[in-house]
């Protein structure tokens, strides 16, 4: 308990010192994140979601629920953004400056910090506190509209929002544990959902009869042309949909594993071994022979 209090105190002192050095940009309560293509039928209206079903990754009503992207990125979506096509979407020097909103209470700030510390430890990508000068950085903020957990995909330039809704009377939302924060930060690094892979139909069954009709496009998969993957399909990925995402009725699955024995799909506890490997691979962390063994071992021993 004492150690937790010391961590919180250190974080609050750090935040106070950071804010004293520079003025944070204005962040409106309502944001209009981009959606791919302008067909009005695609505009996900969360009012169509049954009242008895709420998931903070579904609530934003963006592409596949929680991803803000434009037409250009949509045309090349896959497991990770194609850096050969969009080199500008890669975070330079594998470094991601960030600001955590002062609107979060101490315990929520610690949860976000734990998510950041996990990625920093398990990969060569480094999240660093914004110095007030870097042009591109993340604003980790409790946006009120669209509410829930959502992020842009890859580096969009300038002050870039990662929305993490704090706990309220409805439940823990995005900050019950660090898992959902890791999920959205991985989107910000350029990672898409696992069940979007071209080869997914070998591993999972999509139950279209149980999906809210307006949200069926959220279960589209990538084209083979835009897909590259060096690792096997990952049921345990923190980037995988859960069994009931966008279901017409609570208890009716929209996606199930084809593996015998009722394999669990999706989790929001932490990075899986596959998540860790794919993120290190995406950011060329394995290119350095001295670091390759280190990060492979970290992924194997620390992955969920």
């Amino acid at each position: 308990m004492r150690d937790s209090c010391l961590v919180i105190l250190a974080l609050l002192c750090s935040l106070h010192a950071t804010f004293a050095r520079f003025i944070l940009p204005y962040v409106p309560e309502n944001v209009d994140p981009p959606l791919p293509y302008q067909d009005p039928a695609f505009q996900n209206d969360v009012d169509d979601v049954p009242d008895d079903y709420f998931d903070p990754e579904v609530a934003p009503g963006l592409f596949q629920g929680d991803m803000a992207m434009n037409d250009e990125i949509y045309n090349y979506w896959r497991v990770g953004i194609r850096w050969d096509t969009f080199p500008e979407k890669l975070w330079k020097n594998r470094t991601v400056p960030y600001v955590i909103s002062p609107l979060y209470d101490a315990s929520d700030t610690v949860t976000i910090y734990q998510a950041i510390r996990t990625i920093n430890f398990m990969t060569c990508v480094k999240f660093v506190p914004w110095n007030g000068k870097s042009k591109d950085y993340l604003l980790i903020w409790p946006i009120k509209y669209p509410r829930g957990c959502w992020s842009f995909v890859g580096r969009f330039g300038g002050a870039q929002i990662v929305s993490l809704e704090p706990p309220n009377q409805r439940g823990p939302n995005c900050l019950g544990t660090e898992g959902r924060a890791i999920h959205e930060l991985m989107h910000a690094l350029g990672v898409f959902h696992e069940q979007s892979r071209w080869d997914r139909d070998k591993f999972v069954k999509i139950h279209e009869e149980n999906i809210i009709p307006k949200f069926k496009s959220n279960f589209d998969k990538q084209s083979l042309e835009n897909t590259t993957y060096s690792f096997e399909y990952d049921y345990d990925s923190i980037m995988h949909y859960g069994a009931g995402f966008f279901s017409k009725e609570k208890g009716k699955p929209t996606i199930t594993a084809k593996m015998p024995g009722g394999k669990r799909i999706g989790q929001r506890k932490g990075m899986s071994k596959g998540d860790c490997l794919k993120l290190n691979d995406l950011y060329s962390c394995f290119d350095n022979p001295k670091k390759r063994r280190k990060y492979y071992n970290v992924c194997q021993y620390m992955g969920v």
Side-chain angles (χ1 to χ4, degrees), residues 253-265:
T254 54
I255 182 170
T256 54
K258 286 187 174 180
M259 277 189 70
K263 176 76 174 177
R264 178 196 68 177
I265 58 172

Side-chain angles (χ1 to χ4, degrees), residues 9-21:
L9 180 61
L11 279 168
L12 292 176
C13 289
S14 175
L15 285 171
H16 177 76
T18 298
F19 297 151
R21 291 199 305 270

Side-chain angles (χ1 to χ4, degrees), residues 194-197 200-211 215-221 233 240-243 245-246 253-258 265:
E194 183 72 5
Q195 79 286 338
S196 300
R197 286 170 52 147
R200 66 102 185 271
D201 292 333
K202 298 177 184 178
F203 303 93
V204 297
K205 177 176 175 58
I206 306 299
H207 300 273
E208 292 195 7
E209 71 278 7
N210 293 337
I211 301 172
F215 294 93
K216 286 185 179 181
S217 62
N218 286 338
F219 291 82
D220 289 347
K221 62 181 179 179
Y233 193 87
H240 202 299
Y241 272 4
F245 272 44
F246 301 100
T254 54
I255 182 170
T256 54
K258 286 187 174 180
I265 58 172

Side-chain angles (χ1 to χ4, degrees), residues 111-123 125-127 178 182 269-271 276 298 302:
T111 299
I112 296 168
Y113 179 73
Q114 287 172 333
I116 288 170
R117 185 175 60 177
T118 295
I119 296 176
N120 281 355
F121 180 76
M122 294 181 70
T123 77
V125 177
K126 299 305 173 196
F127 287 80
E178 65 265 30
I182 291 173
K269 293 180 180 179
M271 293 173 69
C276 181
V298 167
M302 298 295 293

Side-chain angles (χ1 to χ4, degrees), residues 80-293:
I81 288 179
R82 290 182 57 176
W83 304 137
D84 58 334
T85 305
F86 297 109
E88 72 278 6
K89 300 302 180 186
L90 181 70
W91 288 90
K92 297 177 180 178
N93 300 317
R94 305 184 184 97
T95 301
V96 186
Y98 70 90
V99 174
I100 299 176
S101 170
L103 300 176
Y104 290 114
D105 65 25
S107 62
D108 294 333
T109 298
V110 169
T111 299
I112 296 168
Y113 179 73
Q114 287 172 333
I116 288 170
R117 185 175 60 177
T118 295
I119 296 176
N120 281 355
F121 180 76
M122 294 181 70
T123 77
C124 69
V125 177
K126 299 305 173 196
F127 287 80
V128 298
W130 184 50
N131 59 10
K133 299 177 182 178
S134 299
K135 176 186 175 183
D136 302 328
Y137 60 99
L138 295 182
L139 281 170
I140 303 173
W141 220 265
I143 300 297
K144 291 189 176 181
Y145 182 84
R147 62 177 180 162
C149 323
W150 59 270
S151 173
F152 290 82
V153 183
R155 179 174 66 91
F156 258 64
Q160 176 176 326
I161 290 171
V162 173
S163 177
L164 297 174
E165 184 177 6
N168 56 24
Q169 70 280 1
R170 188 179 54 242
N173 294 319
C174 310
L175 295 172
T177 67
E178 65 265 30
R180 290 191 186 273
I182 291 173
H183 179 100
E184 299 307 332
L185 290 173
M186 286 186 68
H187 279 322
L189 290 170
V191 181
F192 294 98
H193 290 133
E194 183 72 5
Q195 79 286 338
S196 300
R197 286 170 52 147
W198 168 257
D199 62 343
R200 66 102 185 271
D201 292 333
K202 298 177 184 178
F203 303 93
V204 297
K205 177 176 175 58
I206 306 299
H207 300 273
E208 292 195 7
E209 71 278 7
N210 293 337
I211 301 172
I212 300 168
K214 196 169 186 178
F215 294 93
K216 286 185 179 181
S217 62
N218 286 338
F219 291 82
D220 289 347
K221 62 181 179 179
Q222 304 142 350
S223 69
L224 182 59
E225 177 185 0
N226 292 330
T227 300
T228 58
Y229 41 84
S230 304
F231 308 101
E232 63 184 18
Y233 193 87
D234 188 5
Y235 288 111
D236 292 323
S237 174
I238 201 169
M239 306 307 290
H240 202 299
Y241 272 4
F245 272 44
F246 301 100
S247 178
K248 288 179 180 178
E249 186 177 331
K250 193 172 183 179
K252 287 189 174 183
T254 54
I255 182 170
T256 54
K258 286 187 174 180
M259 277 189 70
K263 176 76 174 177
R264 178 196 68 177
I265 58 172
Q267 51 81 23
R268 295 298 181 266
K269 293 180 180 179
M271 293 173 69
S272 68
K273 294 178 177 64
D275 293 325
C276 181
L277 290 169
K278 98 177 47 150
L279 190 53
N280 276 297
D281 184 59
L282 193 64
Y283 274 81
S284 303
C285 303
F286 297 140
D287 287 359
N288 184 333
K290 294 181 180 179
K291 297 289 183 69
R292 184 184 305 135
R293 183 168 183 174

Side-chain angles (χ1 to χ4, degrees), residues 45-64:
D45 186 353
V46 293
D47 291 337
D48 291 339
V49 177
D51 292 338
D52 64 347
Y53 173 70
F54 175 81
D55 187 290
E57 289 175 33
V58 170
L62 303 177
F63 178 68
Q64 293 191 350

